[in-house]
Each structure stands twice: as structure tokens, then as C-alpha cells.
Amino acid sequence: MARPNIAGSSAGIKSVSADTTIQNADSGKTIVIDGSAVGNLTLTLPATADSKGIELDFILGVANNAATEVLITSDTNIVGAVSIWATGIETAIASGASRGFGDASKAGSYMNLVCDGTQWLIKSASSDVALVAAFS
């Protein structure tokens, strides 16, 4: 069943192009990221202990600038697996409080996260380049 359109709004989309703190109220939304300008972006997840059941989708709406990385940060671990388009290799991520899209990542690179109340789990993620764990 399709999600109802609320009075013509884009309730299921949150567009970001600067450092942003994601709220629990954003659960279920697709966070569309514009990293086309020069300069790294940090997207901060809500506190893990208060976020059990929160699910977020992050996607690059346009390609990252060659000098731009987008880092999604948490107060605890982000764990799961990532598929890299160019190599077809899936990489397991065991721990780390940050994950993100590297310099010049292509539009369509995405990450779906869900919180179990103790950590953020990567349900699915795919990019044309390896995800980053810190700004380089």
C-alpha cells in the first residue's frame, strides 16, 4: 500500500546540504543529501538509547564534490555490511561510530539504518566507492 500524501507535502523526504542533526521525528524519512559543494558534511544521528525502532534512509541526490565527504555519526557503533558497486565486493563493518560517503561518491549511493536501542544497524548500503569512517 502506498504511503498517503499528506496535503501535497513531501513529508517522507528531508533534504540536507549542510551539517544536520537528525531527529527521531525523521524516522521513516528518506534523507536526500546534496554534497555537491566543496566541504565535508556531518549528519548526526539521534541518541541511540532513545531511538529503538527508528529507521532512516540516506541517499546522495547528486554526486559528492571531489573534495566532499558526508559522515553519518552516532554516539555508539554503526555495524553491518556495505556493497561496493565498482568491485561487487561486500564489506562487513564490525564497529565504529561513524560511516559515510567518500569524496566524489556518485548519486544513488545509499545507506539504510535502524536502531535496536544499543547501536545502529546497517540494513543495506551501497556505493561506488568504499564508505569512510572519518574525514580524510
Side-chain angles (χ1 to χ4, degrees):
M1 178 192 232
R3 181 170 188 223
N5 187 337
I6 303 170
S9 74
S10 56
I13 299 287
K14 178 176 186 146
S15 298
V16 298
S17 59
D19 291 351
T20 302
T21 298
I22 307 301
Q23 305 297 320
N24 283 343
D26 294 322
S27 182
K29 291 184 180 178
T30 298
I31 313 298
V32 179
I33 305 161
D34 180 347
S36 61
V38 174
N40 295 333
L41 304 178
T42 300
L43 306 181
T44 304
L45 294 169
T48 305
D50 301 328
S51 300
K52 187 174 185 176
I54 300 297
E55 186 169 350
L56 299 162
D57 289 308
F58 296 90
I59 189 166
L60 295 181
V62 295
N64 275 357
N65 183 288
T68 299
E69 295 174 339
V70 176
L71 201 60
I72 301 167
T73 65
S74 169
D75 60 355
T76 186
N77 284 336
I78 299 173
V79 300
V82 178
S83 176
I84 308 302
W85 304 339
T87 62
I89 295 172
E90 193 158 298
T91 303
I93 297 172
S95 65
S98 298
R99 294 290 172 251
F101 305 105
D103 293 327
S105 292
K106 292 184 180 174
S109 295
Y110 69 89
M111 189 180 331
N112 173 264
L113 300 174
V114 65
C115 183
D116 69 0
T118 62
Q119 61 188 351
W120 289 89
L121 303 167
I122 300 172
K123 287 180 65 177
S124 61
S126 187
S127 182
D128 61 312
V129 297
L131 291 187
V132 296
F135 292 132
S136 58

